[in-house]
Amino acid sequence: MLFDTHTHLDAIQFDEDREEVINRALEAGVTRMVNIGFNRETIPTTMKLAETYDFIYAAVGWHPVDAIAMKDGDLDWIASLCSHEKVVAIGEIGLDYHWDTSPKEIQHKVLRQQIGLARELNMPIVIHNRDAHQDIVKILKEEKASEVGGIMHSFSGSWETAKECLHMGFHLSFGGPITFKNAKQPKEVLAQVPMDRLLIETDSPYLTPHPFRGKRNESAYVRIVAEAAAEIKGLSLEELGQITTRNALERFSIL
Ligand SMILES: [Zn+2]
């Protein structure tokens, strides 16, 4: 029993074989997935997947990389989708200082607006954070994100940052990087995260785990992530799968 809390099954990388990819995930023991729609193109395709498959849920939000493209009506659009029964979170939202596509001030504004929306609608948020640990923590605090909490997706920060996020009620989600030999920090952080705050994900088609690194990632590989996490936590794969699935169901309020 595995829950891939962050995947992009609507990505063009799956256009040739999406159905097979979904079936392989089911065969690998993945019982639920949250697909992430994060801009004008991927929000509709995410909604379509969530409406087609009962085991696929949707998160919708505006990605920091595309912050500059967000228009006046987009926040209302996201708000209106949040009443859909398959939409379980607002995201991915956050800050990305790696790809220099949207100015920081605009990223901050778009993030703050969406945290405000999440508080208004009482929805958890899915946070994307690339090279912006300090500013993320600062904005989450200032905008009182602890009122709704959510998920630090593909967490890559230090244990100090992790503690700040846990203190604000967030869950930490880990993916492919915990299988990389040279990835000391995510493994150390994972080792210390309380079991009731731990989630697993693929972020497929990105962040492919070892030994498939360099190739396309897919949701079935969340099993590889689960195996790595189980080893670090000293649990069996079954235990790790059960606990993280229960955490995800609770966090996304899936009955
Ligand atoms: Zn993502």
Side-chain angles (χ1 to χ4, degrees):
M1 187 165 64
L2 300 166
F3 194 135
D4 185 358
T5 63
H6 195 114
T7 187
H8 300 277
L9 291 163
D10 56 321
I12 51 166
Q13 286 90 332
F14 299 119
D15 279 355
E16 299 293 313
D17 61 349
R18 186 166 293 108
E19 196 73 38
E20 291 156 47
V21 167
I22 292 170
N23 284 331
R24 274 202 293 275
L26 296 175
E27 282 161 23
V30 181
T31 53
R32 288 187 176 84
M33 303 168 236
V34 172
N35 205 78
I36 311 287
F38 55 86
N39 59 20
R40 208 172 319 286
E41 291 73 38
T42 59
I43 290 172
T45 47
T46 291
M47 293 307 297
K48 190 156 182 261
L49 276 170
E51 284 170 353
T52 307
Y53 300 93
D54 56 357
F55 49 86
I56 299 178
Y57 296 81
V60 293
W62 209 270
H63 200 286
V65 165
D66 293 319
I68 200 160
M70 196 179 187
K71 297 213 170 62
D72 277 347
D74 290 328
L75 200 65
D76 290 338
W77 180 37
I78 290 165
S80 71
L81 292 171
C82 285
S83 61
H84 191 288
E85 57 172 6
K86 296 299 289 292
V87 174
V88 294
I90 291 179
E92 55 191 293
I93 63 177
L95 300 175
D96 194 312
Y97 293 173
H98 178 77
W99 302 108
D100 201 16
T101 50
S102 289
K104 283 183 183 175
E105 314 79 71
I106 296 177
Q107 292 192 38
H108 293 186
K109 184 176 143 224
V110 165
L111 172 59
R112 287 179 193 276
Q113 282 178 333
Q114 293 183 97
I115 299 170
L117 179 66
R119 286 174 56 210
E120 207 174 291
L121 302 177
N122 196 26
M123 296 282 284
I125 52 182
V126 177
I127 296 292
H128 170 103
N129 164 22
R130 191 142 183 213
D131 304 339
H133 304 296
Q134 277 189 346
D135 284 359
I136 276 282
V137 169
K138 180 170 171 280
I139 291 175
L140 289 175
K141 271 187 194 161
E142 285 175 1
E143 299 298 326
K144 302 186 177 68
S146 60
E147 282 184 15
V148 288
I151 297 164
M152 306 303 292
H153 129 70
S154 191
F155 188 78
S156 61
S158 64
W159 176 239
E160 289 307 307
T161 303
K163 277 193 290 191
E164 301 255 33
C165 298
L166 291 166
H167 188 66
M168 286 187 277
F170 278 79
H171 288 61
L172 306 191
S173 183
F174 294 85
I178 64 163
T179 68
F180 302 165
K181 281 192 186 68
N182 56 0
K184 241 182 99 193
Q185 187 168 273
K187 288 180 197 169
E188 283 172 5
V189 173
L190 171 59
Q192 298 178 80
V193 175
M195 275 313 296
D196 62 348
R197 299 293 192 85
L198 177 63
L199 298 171
I200 51 172
E201 63 170 69
T202 56
D203 198 22
S204 71
Y206 319 106
L207 294 179
T208 313
H210 175 79
F212 300 111
R213 202 173 175 182
K215 301 202 181 84
R216 182 186 72 173
N217 197 3
E218 58 178 82
S219 277
Y221 297 166
V222 79
R223 192 186 182 94
I224 301 172
V225 173
E227 282 165 354
E231 199 186 318
I232 292 167
K233 286 297 199 185
L235 298 170
S236 68
L237 173 62
E238 288 69 28
E239 288 168 325
L240 191 286
Q242 258 173 27
I243 295 167
T244 52
T245 296
R246 193 178 61 217
N247 291 345
L249 292 172
E250 280 172 10
R251 180 58 285 193
F252 292 123
S253 303
I254 298 171
L255 300 173

